[in-house]
Amino acid sequence: MLDAAIIGMGRWGQTLVASVQGKNDAGIRFVSGATGRPERARDWAAQNRIKLEDSYEAVLADPAVKAVVLATPHQSHAEQIIAAARAGKQIFVEKPFTMSKASAEAAVAACREAGVVLALGHNRRFLPAVAEMQRLLADDSLGTLLHVEGQFSGPGAAAYTAGMWRADRSESPLGGMGGMGIHMIDMFIHLAGPISQVTVQSHARVLDNGLDDTTAGLFRFASGATGLFATLALAPRYWRVALFGDKGLVELNGHERLGFTPREGEGWVREFPKTDIEHAELKAFAAAVAGGPAYPLPVAEAIHGASVYETMVLAAEAGSTYAVA
């Protein structure tokens, strides 16, 4: 059992804890933690038998803590990863990984030097329907991949108020990208490979808190395929990713409903079982630490995702097309 600390005990930190705490099959349990506002988390930490420390440094100094799980503001990830690596802790970090390619590379280098596992929390990689999409790509059911479309939107920005870190434009450039859209970028990379070029428009149509609510992009993949992307920060919840090939197309609507349409013949629509993807990702992290299968998100793809995000911000600010470093 991997003894871990949760860093950040807001809504998402508590969600991660709830997915594995008290579940022996997960291979991980939370025994310690720290958060920016400990007074708000004291009762919850006690209920979950989590020792509440007064600082991140105190957590890292505790030899009983073997891993940290970071559910913290985006801008702090790189520094916190490097500190944890130097302390010899295994690391799971929520998305976005970091806010730049350079900081992502520095974080990976620190983990490599320390010999610790670094896992990034893109939980949609653990959906059974996504594994089926990969199978269809691998067995040539789609043929040559021509085009990719994806959107991840939701109403979260309605709750962003002054003083919240998520309402800070430096933490949330491009509106819904940090909380939602970055998951779709990772899905593009996971299914269609590296992204080589981005054109982005991002602006506010309804929000008046300084954040964008509408972000859209046109992508070019290294393979030559094209892509369309959108994330809306104040809209009904919506998840869709579709792959278009010269032999067929596959489309995932929500997390469970997958449809395949061949160029010729009959298609199908399948409903996949609901999956606790937070449990799955933390279980995979614990297994990797224990010497089992490598965590199924290569660090090179994590770095590339950070580079794409950084390039999208630059492209939107310039109103131009940018090549991804």
Side-chain angles (χ1 to χ4, degrees), residues 259-282:
F260 172 66
T261 305
R263 189 177 65 201
E264 299 176 359
E266 292 295 320
W268 49 258
V269 176
R270 296 178 189 166
E271 292 285 342
F272 285 77
K274 290 192 174 183
T275 303
D276 186 339
I277 49 181
E278 289 75 48
H279 180 90
E281 65 184 356
L282 288 172

Side-chain angles (χ1 to χ4, degrees), residues 151-160 166-167 169 172-181 201-216 229-238:
Q151 182 176 337
F152 186 10
S153 298
Y160 296 174
R166 289 187 183 275
R169 193 174 180 88
S172 299
L174 305 187
M177 271 298 300
M180 296 178 294
Q201 292 191 13
S202 189
H203 56 269
R205 285 182 51 77
V206 291
L207 285 177
D208 58 5
N209 61 1
L211 300 183
D212 295 346
D213 52 51
T214 303
T215 303
F229 161 85
T231 185
L232 309 177
L234 192 61
R237 187 157 296 280
Y238 183 76

Side-chain angles (χ1 to χ4, degrees), residues 4-27:
I6 182 70
I7 310 302
M9 298 181 185
R11 181 186 66 85
W12 195 250
Q14 294 187 17
T15 296
L16 291 172
V17 170
S19 73
V20 297
Q21 201 75 329
K23 300 174 183 178
N24 291 334
D25 70 313

Side-chain angles (χ1 to χ4, degrees), residues 160-204:
Y160 296 174
T161 57
M164 290 180 62
W165 68 263
R166 289 187 183 275
D168 181 344
R169 193 174 180 88
S170 69
E171 294 283 2
S172 299
L174 305 187
M177 271 298 300
M180 296 178 294
I182 194 64
H183 277 300
M184 186 57 67
I185 299 306
D186 180 72
M187 189 57 54
F188 279 10
I189 295 167
H190 184 48
L191 294 172
I195 295 166
S196 62
Q197 185 175 286
V198 299
T199 308
V200 180
Q201 292 191 13
S202 189
H203 56 269

Side-chain angles (χ1 to χ4, degrees), residues 41-63:
R42 204 169 304 281
D43 290 345
W44 174 84
Q47 291 166 8
N48 285 277
R49 300 182 178 180
I50 292 173
K51 179 184 177 183
L52 185 58
E53 298 282 13
D54 59 6
S55 69
Y56 184 47
E57 292 73 22
V59 170
L60 296 183
D62 186 352

Side-chain angles (χ1 to χ4, degrees), residues 236-259:
R237 187 157 296 280
Y238 183 76
W239 168 277
R240 171 183 174 267
V241 59
L243 308 175
F244 298 80
D246 66 323
K247 293 182 181 178
L249 71 91
V250 62
E251 180 177 20
L252 178 59
N253 283 286
H255 288 171
E256 288 84 34
R257 188 176 182 83
L258 186 69

